Amino acid sequence: MTIERFITTYNVKPADSIVVKKQFFGILDHYVIYLGKDIYGEHKFIANYTKGVRYIENRELSSFLKSYVPVRINRFVGNEQQRAYAVERANSRLNERSYNLILNNCEHFASFVQNGHSKSSQD
């Protein structure tokens, strides 16, 4: 499935968190935040992984989706102004390099973006 089709089919909106698992016996959930389209009309995603908080390029995301499958979408809850603020929160941490599997992982980041508080149920 193409990224465009995925976004359209599942009505993904900015600040929604896409939860993915590694295909074939994936144990941990991974979280990616959808930011919306950039000025060039490209879909933008951001995540906190071992390399830190960074944008995920579409070609990288396409490759990523070959080994990971979406399992659910955590919808942002709030009005459009709050959604815009959540996207700003995500961008405010771009290039931060403080990833920690236990204390600051991708789920912590997704929680921070969506509600302003870092937390993880996988701790």
Side-chain angles (χ1 to χ4, degrees):
M1 176 179 293
T2 67
I3 294 166
E4 183 72 40
R5 186 167 176 211
F6 178 84
I7 298 298
T8 304
T9 300
Y10 295 102
N11 195 29
V12 180
K13 296 185 185 251
D16 285 348
S17 174
I18 302 164
V19 184
V20 298
K21 274 192 192 270
K22 193 150 184 108
Q23 289 189 60
F24 311 112
F25 312 111
I27 296 171
L28 295 176
D29 292 338
H30 298 281
Y31 294 73
V32 178
I33 300 290
Y34 178 61
L35 298 175
K37 287 187 176 183
D38 65 14
I39 60 173
Y40 305 106
E42 295 286 323
H43 294 286
K44 296 294 286 187
F45 299 84
I46 192 170
N48 183 24
Y49 287 105
T50 55
K51 296 178 184 177
V53 177
R54 62 187 182 89
Y55 295 131
I56 301 173
E57 301 297 326
N58 283 344
R59 69 182 187 288
E60 183 181 0
L61 188 63
S62 293
S63 174
F64 182 80
L65 290 174
K66 289 178 183 171
S67 57
Y68 288 84
V69 292
V71 292
R72 74 180 175 279
I73 298 171
N74 293 341
R75 305 286 179 184
F76 177 80
V77 177
N79 62 35
E80 292 307 306
Q81 184 178 6
Q82 292 165 325
R83 184 181 298 280
Y85 186 64
V87 169
E88 285 180 28
R89 254 195 314 270
N91 285 314
S92 75
R93 298 214 13 219
L94 183 63
N95 297 321
E96 182 180 273
R97 296 187 55 89
S98 60
Y99 178 86
N100 180 290
L101 181 62
I102 305 300
L103 303 173
N104 189 30
N105 61 40
C106 57
E107 186 179 8
H108 287 100
F109 178 69
S111 174
F112 168 75
V113 171
Q114 289 194 321
N115 62 44
H117 305 286
S118 294
K119 77 176 204 176
S120 171
S121 62
Q122 300 181 110
D123 291 344

